[in-house]
Amino acid sequence: MADVILETKGLTKSYPMSGGRELSVLEDINIRVREGEFVSILGPSGAGKSTLLRILVGLASPSKGEVLYHGIPLAKALPKIAMVFQSFALFPWLTVLENVELGLKSYGLSDNAAREKSVKMLDIVGLDGFEDAYPRELSGGMRQRVGIARALVVEPEILFMDEPFSALDILTADNLRGELIDLWLRKIMPIKSIIFVTHNIEEAAFLSNRAIILSHNPGRIKADMFIDLPHERDKNSRDFKYTVDRIFTILTKPEQEVPFLLERERYQFLPHTKIGAIAGLIEMVHDKGDRADISVLASDLSMEVDDIFPLIEASVFLGLGEIKEGDFIITDMGRQFSDADALKKKELFKATALNNIQLLKQITQVLQSTSKRRISEDFFLEILANHFTTEEAWNQLETAIDWGRYAELFAYDYDSGELYLE
Ligand code: ADP
């Protein structure tokens, strides 16, 4: 999985109000932004989108929780980030070129080097020939091109954009969206991720490969969904319309009615393994002193490394083992699991599975939230179908059912094809 660049943990923001009360604007925001992600943040007006953005770039601090940049607290991290504002935020008394150069001021470049970089960037955003113009001489679209050039010239790792096209007319905005996507896809820039605040659903569906939808009052993450449509996206295609509908539904429905709440992270791919085989492997390696060379292990079991690997991967997912330097090592949890009696084994497995396996957590949550405590497998297959082929969706659910039943998280009725809580 790609590297996590930016992460928020339990981020909460509130503002003091009169009478000693607090206005809670953002609550328990947990986000991991990875390399390659173009993330849109959507939500109704006042949901806290701008506040979140300001915290992510370090312009404001959270009341609780933290923001990590490559695992380091943001304030200590010297993040390579830049921001494009809705209002362009250009200095009217500086020329276009000087406005862009300004972005480089704190980078210690020579004047010549800064000029060269800025001219090149203006060329990339289509402003060749406008270097000496003043912002007032430019149209809104051109001003925002300057805003984008000023942000890109510092070669940020993450580009933040706060409703950058909402002050522009429709055609200009469309045009700039197309160019932004082009810049992003052609990887001309070293940008690894874009975080884009918008209240425009179509815009989010057109540009991003992930949408985080905030609820209002206080702003909480209502859904975190992946948009796996290929570019160039056709706004008239069925898939595009479906994506727009889905976001619209989530935005407008009350939080508790949103099943998409489940889509918090990209799905883990569960290796197709039976729990008995995983348990067997853990116990065997535990007997060997909790560590074994993977290729030796394979030959001891008369298996190919490729065949044993899903078992090892499943153990790692479940927190029972880890891989280090070609060895498979049993974790503390794995040791406890091996030494436990049958009943205790189930308990330990239940805890570690719920902690580590997203699909099991979701199935359990959904079952607990329905009054009948019973739901058709089709419900989960449909969600999984957003992430896997139909056949793989079945395999994933089958594996989850095997693990879930063992852990006694839920039961499965073969005749009706329903999962249920006992
Ligand atoms: P959005 O960008 O989603 O429209 P904002 O982040 O601008 O939302 O604002 C979220 C909420 O926080 C609003 O209710 C706003 O009034 C409140 N808010 C923002 N900044 C402050 C502040 N400095 N003091 C008090 N309340 C604030």
Side-chain angles (χ1 to χ4, degrees):
M1 206 172 244
D3 285 348
V4 175
I5 305 177
L6 194 68
E7 179 171 10
T8 69
K9 285 188 176 168
L11 189 157
T12 294
K13 179 74 177 175
S14 51
Y15 289 106
M17 294 204 307
S18 59
R21 286 177 306 143
E22 299 257 306
L23 171 71
S24 178
V25 176
L26 292 168
E27 225 173 72
D28 197 25
I29 304 287
N30 298 292
I31 301 174
R32 277 189 197 146
V33 178
R34 294 194 163 82
E35 195 173 326
E37 288 185 334
F38 190 139
V39 185
S40 285
I41 299 177
L42 286 134
S45 196
K49 303 184 291 296
S50 304
T51 305
L52 178 58
L53 205 61
R54 288 167 53 77
I55 294 174
L56 293 182
V57 299
L59 287 171
S61 44
S63 312
K64 254 195 259 160
E66 56 180 353
V67 182
L68 303 174
Y69 179 80
H70 289 292
I72 301 168
L74 190 64
K76 297 186 189 147
L78 293 177
K80 288 180 74 182
I81 56 183
M83 173 100 140
V84 176
F85 300 90
Q86 177 185 4
S87 58
F88 320 143
L90 305 180
F91 292 104
W93 59 87
L94 297 181
T95 64
V96 164
L97 183 59
E98 287 163 347
N99 263 292
V100 175
E101 282 173 334
L102 200 63
L104 287 169
K105 272 288 177 271
S106 55
Y107 283 75
L109 291 177
S110 71
D111 286 355
N112 271 346
R115 176 137 307 192
E116 200 178 311
K117 260 181 179 292
S118 304
V119 168
K120 202 166 136 204
M121 194 50 66
L122 283 167
D123 192 19
I124 289 176
V125 300
L127 284 178
D128 191 17
F130 288 90
E131 292 82 356
D132 298 326
Y134 285 89
R136 63 172 177 277
E137 300 171 52
L138 306 179
S139 66
M142 289 163 89
R143 282 183 214 168
Q144 193 53 302
R145 284 172 199 267
V146 182
I148 292 172
R150 184 186 47 199
L152 291 179
V153 77
V154 307
E155 303 186 348
E157 196 179 21
I158 309 184
L159 179 66
F160 290 87
M161 306 184 93
D162 190 1
E163 307 213 15
F165 308 133
S166 61
L168 305 173
D169 66 79
I170 294 174
L171 288 179
T172 308
D174 253 355
N175 193 8
L176 280 183
R177 279 182 204 116
E179 290 183 25
L180 175 66
I181 266 301
D182 196 45
L183 275 174
W184 167 247
L185 294 178
R186 284 195 290 147
K187 298 195 175 14
I188 300 175
M189 304 289 130
I191 312 170
K192 293 196 177 133
S193 169
I194 298 182
I195 300 183
F196 190 101
V197 163
T198 179
H199 59 254
N200 181 331
I201 299 174
E202 263 209 359
E203 180 171 59
F206 183 74
L207 293 173
S208 47
N209 50 26
R210 177 174 172 193
I212 293 177
I213 302 169
L214 297 182
S215 61
H216 185 208
N217 209 1
R220 269 195 291 257
I221 297 186
K222 209 173 181 186
D224 185 348
M225 55 187 275
F226 288 89
I227 303 175
D228 286 329
L229 302 177
H231 287 287
E232 159 102 15
R233 294 181 183 163
D234 174 3
K235 290 187 182 165
N236 292 314
S237 70
R238 215 193 54 183
D239 284 350
F240 187 84
K241 287 181 177 161
Y242 173 71
T243 303
V244 170
D245 268 3
R246 213 151 60 116
I247 299 176
F248 180 80
T249 310
I250 297 169
L251 268 170
T252 49
K253 270 198 176 172
E255 198 170 333
Q256 50 283 18
E257 287 175 30
V258 175
F260 303 105
L261 185 64
L262 304 168
E263 295 177 83
R264 290 206 181 254
E265 279 274 349
R266 195 175 284 283
Y267 268 77
Q268 280 169 331
F269 182 89
L270 301 182
H272 310 158
T273 47
K274 295 275 182 233
I275 192 66
I278 301 170
L281 176 77
I282 298 291
E283 277 165 27
M284 181 179 158
V285 178
H286 181 52
D287 286 345
K288 287 179 188 290
D290 292 325
R291 184 174 188 134
D293 182 285
I294 293 174
S295 51
V296 173
L297 197 59
S299 84
D300 284 357
L301 289 167
S302 311
M303 284 168 89
E304 297 292 328
V305 169
D306 282 353
D307 297 328
I308 196 178
F309 213 77
L311 287 174
I312 290 180
E313 223 184 344
S315 313
V316 172
F317 270 175
L318 286 161
L320 300 171
E322 56 194 9
I323 302 172
K324 242 187 224 152
E325 295 148 8
D327 286 358
F328 178 57
I329 302 167
I330 303 301
T331 59
D332 267 346
M333 175 56 93
R335 275 193 287 278
Q336 287 179 43
F337 178 81
S338 295
D339 292 335
D341 60 30
L343 206 65
K344 182 79 185 151
K345 262 197 173 66
K346 275 183 191 265
E347 266 172 40
L348 289 169
F349 187 83
K350 182 175 183 170
T352 192
L354 265 185
N355 228 343
N356 293 299
I357 308 297
Q358 189 191 356
L359 184 53
L360 290 179
K361 208 173 351 184
Q362 290 180 344
I363 293 174
T364 315
Q365 275 174 2
V366 169
L367 286 171
Q368 281 166 352
S369 70
T370 53
S371 52
K372 283 197 284 180
R373 311 206 140 213
R374 175 177 273 272
I375 204 159
S376 161
E377 62 196 4
D378 293 339
F379 177 86
F380 298 106
L381 286 171
E382 202 171 305
I383 295 176
L384 287 165
N386 286 322
H387 304 271
F388 302 104
T389 60
T390 315
E391 192 192 338
E392 191 49 56
W394 274 107
N395 286 335
Q396 291 293 308
L397 190 61
E398 200 174 67
T399 303
I401 289 174
D402 181 59
W403 296 8
R405 293 176 87 187
Y406 172 77
E408 293 180 5
L409 284 166
F410 49 81
Y412 178 69
D413 180 343
Y414 273 102
D415 294 329
S416 65
E418 286 174 322
L419 290 86
Y420 62 96
L421 292 179
E422 284 175 304

